[in-house]
Amino acid sequence: MCGRYTITVTLEELLIRYQIDPFFPLYHRPKYNVAPGQMVVAVINDGASNRIGELKWGLVPEWSKDEAAGFKMINARAETVAEKPAYRTAFERRRCLIPADGFYEWKKKQDGGKQPMRITMKDESLFSMAGLYESWTTPDGRKVSTCTVITTTPNRLMADIHDRMPVIVPPEQEAIWLDRSMRQTSLLLGLLQPYPAEQMTAYPVAAGVGNVRNDSPECIRRLTIDD
């Protein structure tokens, strides 16, 4: 699964990276420990240009009776995303990109414990996780916009850490993923591949990242032998 990630860049960097109007109204601060249930930055395309905004992490299908369903749908599996009723319509029509510059996963240790790891690009650049979004209406008429992160099988780097990883969309394929008119299932599914391991790296971080209340640069600090 993908249950924690980081996005430590500035709003200006986000707007430049996704070619978005610099006057787009959005408050953003660097986040070092993004968790399910929180509002997260996402990019969609309205048919003319990219737009950026916030979605609640944990997808609630439009037919759901309860907003709490989102806590069970923080991730969608690439292998079944085009078939499962909870994701099928969003996969066809409501795809998004979720910007990140790292994500966390917990690696099993020989003593039975777990070591939190932060996984990034080798150059520490921004990347785009493949996501889906939905709009759900509460019984009292309130609109709730939610999202999920798609996961896939691990690449060579991740295989030693966990059996799943988020789908990372290569920059040259982002426009295809965001294109609302694209309904070719085989092509879209073909984008949901493990990202090349040689372009990524992983390093250990402190156990404090396991607490969602911790959200500071300390979360991404690389552990050393002395720690």
Side-chain angles (χ1 to χ4, degrees), residues 78-90:
E79 297 89 335
T80 57
V81 68
E83 304 166 3
K84 284 202 169 184
Y87 307 119
R88 186 170 53 218
T89 301

Side-chain angles (χ1 to χ4, degrees), residues 58-61 63-74 87:
L59 188 137
V60 181
W63 42 260
S64 179
K65 296 180 179 179
D66 189 351
E67 186 176 353
F71 289 103
K72 299 178 181 178
M73 300 185 186
I74 64 169
Y87 307 119

Side-chain angles (χ1 to χ4, degrees), residues 2-4 15-16 23 41 44 60 87 104 138 158 174-175 177 201 220:
C2 174
R4 298 289 179 82
L15 299 180
I16 292 173
F23 298 105
V41 173
I44 68 169
V60 181
Y87 307 119
Y104 298 110
T138 66
M158 283 299 300
E174 290 175 355
W177 181 252
T201 189
I220 66 171

